[in-house]
Amino acid sequence: MTEVYRILTINPGSTSTKIAIFDNEKPVLETTLRHPAEEINKFDKIFDQYEFRKNVILETLNENGINLTKLSAVVGRGGLLKPIQGGTYSVSDSMIEDLKVGILGEHASNLGGILANEIAKQLNIPAFIVDPVVVDEMDEVARISGMPELARKSIFHALNQKAVARRAAAEMGKAYEDVNIIVAHLGGGISVGAHQNGRVIDVNNALDGEGPFSPERAGGLPVGDLAKMCFSGKYTIDDIKKKIKGQGGLVAYLGTNDGREVEKMISEGNEKAALVYEAMAYQVAKEIGSCAAVLKGKVDAVILTGGIAYDKKFVKWVSDRVAFIAQVIVYPGEDEMIALAEGGLRVLRGEETAKIYE
């Protein structure tokens, strides 16, 4: 009889906390806890929110009749830690300290490991994080930018990218470590990664808006013209940062970050919307082609995932340009909660050894 592990997963966002309970891969409870702005704004720092969020989580679990003593592990979303290899990590004192101070910046996801640890230690069970956005497995050759002062960085949708790559490998009857896969995560930010034998050896920095432009990010830009804009006297550094991330991409061209709204514009005959949206797909396809070159053409599959992968028109635009590389697999959306649970399960089942963060 298969042993059943009950896992609590925690994924903090800026004004919400997603939690789920899984018995192995089977969901028992999934809910999103909304935090009113007036509650969140009481705290000066993100770390200061952990007690408030922990109490809301515990109250919700109690209201849903979840017996905490039956839990096998708690898995939190990884935050902005130091660059690390992919995998499942045991939450350690050094990790908690780096999440607490925000070693690479303050972000709500930093609370994931902290909350997991706070709940797990009371139950004497393990706490883990899985594939945070700072996963860095890039080959050294991929770090060279052309300007010594500016090394290329690996910051991307590691949790979902690796989860769908593992899923595709399993469906091929292979291990993730035995395949080469290109994954394009299509969300508010877009990241395209070259996965070679279990490592993401090259990927665009989706946080800062490298690579294809996206609903909210400007993507790779004509750098000479960008330099002139920066020193034109018309913009502050904060203005430029917003143009690159938050107010770039679809927002800049069409005034929305919602692909469904863009679809509506196109259906109503908006030619500019059609051109801009197709251009985004064009740039995604170019980035996938770049990854195919990185992998020397040895590609087992191309995966399109994230929220925009629900859009059949967009998927077709990309697929038509990259289908010659390898089979195109579409996994719409991103199920981060099951991805977190699967990371914990691999350790509990002895399929993977939990890594140590130092």
Side-chain angles (χ1 to χ4, degrees):
M1 185 175 175
T2 304
E3 184 169 0
V4 176
Y5 295 103
R6 174 161 282 198
I7 295 178
L8 166 63
T9 59
I10 303 172
N11 184 1
S14 56
T15 59
S16 66
T17 306
K18 294 179 183 177
I19 62 169
I21 297 284
F22 292 89
D23 283 348
N24 291 345
E25 290 87 358
K26 180 183 176 183
V28 174
L29 169 71
E30 291 187 79
T31 188
T32 299
L33 312 177
R34 306 290 178 186
H35 310 307
E38 57 267 24
E39 287 289 344
I40 291 296
N41 292 339
K42 290 178 183 176
F43 304 101
D44 292 331
K45 296 183 177 179
I46 285 175
F47 171 72
D48 298 336
Q49 300 173 16
Y50 89 86
E51 189 78 40
F52 162 72
R53 294 202 193 216
K54 182 183 79 169
N55 290 336
V56 174
I57 291 169
L58 294 177
E59 286 168 12
T60 302
L61 294 174
N62 183 56
E63 289 168 2
N64 284 274
I66 300 297
N67 183 346
L68 295 181
T69 64
K70 301 293 185 183
L71 292 177
S72 306
V74 186
V75 186
R77 179 73 186 268
L80 296 176
L81 294 159
K82 290 178 288 192
I84 56 177
Q85 293 283 305
T88 300
Y89 284 76
S90 294
V91 178
S92 62
D93 290 343
S94 58
M95 180 187 293
I96 291 293
E97 190 56 34
D98 283 355
L99 291 171
K100 180 179 175 180
V101 301
I103 192 166
L104 279 189
E106 285 215 355
H107 190 273
S109 62
N110 290 1
L111 292 168
I114 295 168
L115 289 165
N117 185 64
E118 284 292 317
I119 293 171
K121 71 182 181 183
Q122 300 298 322
L123 302 167
N124 200 28
I125 57 175
F128 303 116
I129 66 161
V130 181
D131 291 328
V133 294
V134 292
V135 164
D136 185 347
E137 301 167 335
M138 283 170 60
D139 283 346
E140 288 306 306
V141 69
R143 300 182 192 281
I144 306 299
S145 70
M147 189 178 289
E149 297 89 345
L150 303 175
R152 292 188 61 233
K153 297 176 184 175
S154 173
I155 301 179
F156 69 110
H157 306 89
L159 182 63
N160 189 47
Q161 280 218 21
K162 282 185 169 277
V164 296
R166 287 179 183 278
R167 177 177 165 188
E171 289 176 1
M172 295 177 206
K174 298 180 180 181
Y176 172 50
E177 292 73 19
D178 296 329
V179 295
N180 289 351
I181 292 178
I182 299 169
V183 182
H185 177 104
L186 311 173
I190 290 176
S191 62
V192 183
H195 297 237
Q196 182 182 67
N197 303 130
R199 291 174 52 236
V200 184
I201 62 170
D202 201 350
V203 66
N204 60 297
N205 178 345
L207 180 68
D208 286 344
E210 274 183 23
F213 73 82
S214 75
E216 298 177 349
R217 291 164 175 75
L221 297 167
V223 292
D225 291 333
L226 178 62
K228 289 177 184 176
M229 179 182 280
C230 290
F231 287 92
S232 67
K234 295 179 181 178
Y235 308 99
T236 67
I237 186 169
D238 285 340
D239 291 336
I240 295 293
K241 284 181 176 179
K242 285 176 184 174
K243 280 183 167 291
I244 292 172
K245 182 178 69 174
Q247 296 176 3
L250 295 184
V251 172
Y253 282 100
L254 303 174
T256 180
N257 63 0
D258 190 334
R260 293 165 298 184
E261 190 66 31
V262 177
E263 284 183 79
K264 183 181 176 187
M265 291 180 188
I266 295 171
S267 69
E268 292 172 350
N270 187 322
E271 293 181 4
K272 178 183 177 183
L275 177 62
V276 171
Y277 208 39
E278 185 174 1
M280 191 166 81
Y282 174 90
Q283 291 195 6
V284 169
K286 278 179 67 175
E287 197 77 13
I288 290 170
S290 296
C291 285
V294 167
L295 296 170
K296 301 178 181 177
K298 297 174 182 176
V299 184
D300 294 290
V302 174
I303 298 175
L304 305 181
T305 185
I308 299 173
Y310 283 110
D311 184 339
K312 292 180 181 178
K313 182 196 299 288
F314 193 92
V315 165
K316 186 176 188 306
W317 279 333
V318 177
S319 299
D320 284 350
R321 292 186 182 276
V322 303
F324 75 95
I325 297 170
Q327 63 174 316
V328 178
I329 302 172
V330 183
Y331 295 138
E334 55 176 315
D335 199 339
E336 296 169 329
M337 306 311 282
I338 184 60
L340 291 172
E342 287 170 345
L345 283 170
R346 288 194 294 273
V347 171
L348 295 176
R349 290 170 173 165
E351 298 167 2
E352 183 180 312
T353 301
K355 293 181 169 67
I356 304 300
Y357 178 85
E358 297 174 351

